[in-house]
């Protein structure tokens, strides 16, 4: 069956620009997570959605980062005024409401800010 | 939040059994232990999860002692394709507010 998909797979942008990263979770999964992964590090939690609402956004580094999930399915991570330090792989994962620990990850979007 | 400690890296050879141990001294009563595998340029992949004693699936075994303060992921007869980073995590699978925290993982290298 279809897994978690993320688009684009690669995004190169210039410092100061706005970017949007998209995540399509597994159908029926109510929980959706965004992580950021830098080279040599484990995924770093950013935000977690339960349905349409952000249940925990404590991992968002600052107010330049924002995420939405308006219909409880697809989610978009939005980054304003990008900085070079935002360069990383952004991972999305989803899980069912019965086993939150078993998360299914997408392939990630590699963001490069020049 | 329960924190985990695992070796930074391990090396082994094809055909060997590999055991990766993880410490989680502050594990809570409702927490389960979960292991993920990550290949380069891919997202992490769930391998196995357990609460106590032993769990086995087609990929690995997970050994958890009675005090649950540590756990060991066992990979039987590894091959080159098992070269990856392995993450140990703890959390309550039924609690949506239980945040999943990834550490730096164990980088496993398998040689011919």
């Amino acid at each position: 069956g279809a897994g978690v998909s993320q688009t684009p797979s690669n995004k190169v942008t210039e410092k100061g620009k706005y970017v949007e990263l998209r995540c399509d979770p597994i159908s029926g999964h109510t929980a959706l997570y965004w992580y950021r992964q830098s080279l040599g590090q484990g995924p770093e939690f950013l935000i977690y959605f339960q349905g349409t609402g952000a249940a925990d956004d404590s991992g968002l580094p600052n107010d330049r980062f924002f995420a939405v999930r308006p219909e409880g399915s697809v989610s978009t991570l939005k980054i304003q005024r990008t900085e070079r330090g935002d360069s990383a792989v952004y991972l999305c994962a989803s899980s069912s409401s019965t086993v939150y620990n078993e998360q299914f990850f997408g392939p990630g979007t590699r963001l490069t800010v020049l | 939040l329960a924190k985990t400690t695992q070796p930074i890296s391990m090396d082994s050879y094809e055909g060997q059994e590999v055991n990766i141990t993880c410490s989680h001294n502050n594990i809570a009563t409702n927490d389960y232990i979960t292991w993920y595998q990550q290949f380069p340029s891919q997202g992490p992949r769930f391998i196995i999860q357990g609460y106590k004693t032993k769990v086995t699936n087609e990929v690995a075994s997970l050994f958890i002692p009675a005090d649950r303060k540590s756990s060991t992921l066992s990979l039987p007869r590894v091959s080159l394709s098992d070269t990856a980073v392995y993450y140990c995590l703890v959390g309550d699978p039924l609690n949506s507010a239980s945040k999943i925290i990834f550490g730096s993982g164990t980088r496993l290298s398998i040689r011919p």
Side-chain angles (χ1 to χ4, degrees):
Chain A
V4 177
S5 62
Q6 293 185 246
T7 54
S9 55
N10 280 284
K11 177 69 176 179
V12 180
T13 190
E14 294 180 342
K15 181 174 178 291
K17 299 291 187 181
Y18 167 83
V19 296
E20 288 190 353
L21 311 179
R22 176 187 167 109
C23 172
D24 282 82
I26 291 174
S27 177
H29 279 187
T30 58
L32 185 146
Y33 310 79
W34 282 99
Y35 296 85
R36 178 170 69 175
Q37 187 171 28
S38 300
L39 192 63
Q41 302 297 315
E44 171 194 7
F45 171 82
L46 295 177
I47 186 170
Y48 152 62
F49 286 90
Q50 181 61 244
T52 60
D56 184 350
D57 64 357
S58 62
L60 295 178
N62 51 59
D63 61 5
R64 295 187 297 106
F65 289 74
F66 189 71
V68 295
R69 195 186 185 198
E71 297 179 358
S73 178
V74 171
S75 177
T76 304
L77 178 65
K78 308 180 180 189
I79 310 174
Q80 298 177 324
R81 305 183 303 280
T82 53
E83 300 178 356
R84 292 193 179 88
D86 298 335
S87 296
V89 175
Y90 289 82
L91 294 163
C92 175
S94 69
S95 68
S96 73
S97 59
T98 55
V99 188
Y100 292 102
N101 280 10
E102 186 172 353
Q103 297 183 14
F104 296 82
F105 282 80
T109 293
R110 181 174 298 279
L111 175 66
T112 303
V113 182
L114 302 177
Chain B
L1 295 172
K3 181 179 177 180
T4 62
T5 303
Q6 53 185 123
I8 294 174
S9 65
M10 293 181 67
D11 295 326
S12 188
Y13 294 90
E14 283 191 292
Q16 299 295 307
E17 177 184 81
V18 171
N19 296 309
I20 306 175
T21 297
C22 177
S23 297
H24 27 80
N25 292 318
N26 297 322
I27 190 168
T29 302
N30 294 333
D31 285 346
Y32 278 61
I33 299 133
T34 309
W35 285 80
Y36 282 81
Q37 174 192 55
Q38 186 175 26
F39 297 114
S41 300
Q42 295 185 25
R45 180 177 75 107
F46 174 93
I47 302 177
I48 196 167
Q49 177 174 271
Y51 185 81
K52 62 179 180 181
T53 62
K54 177 184 175 183
V55 180
T56 297
N57 61 22
E58 66 278 5
V59 177
S61 294
L62 179 60
F63 297 92
I64 306 166
D67 66 5
R68 304 201 326 120
K69 293 183 182 300
S70 67
S71 59
T72 299
L73 175 72
S74 181
L75 305 173
R77 299 182 59 79
V78 292
S79 64
L80 295 175
S81 63
D82 291 315
T83 294
V85 179
Y86 292 82
Y87 297 96
C88 166
L89 305 89
V90 293
D92 182 350
L94 300 181
N95 181 357
S96 63
S98 179
K99 188 184 303 182
I100 300 294
I101 304 294
F102 285 83
S104 296
T106 297
R107 189 171 299 274
L108 176 65
S109 297
I110 305 300
R111 303 177 182 180

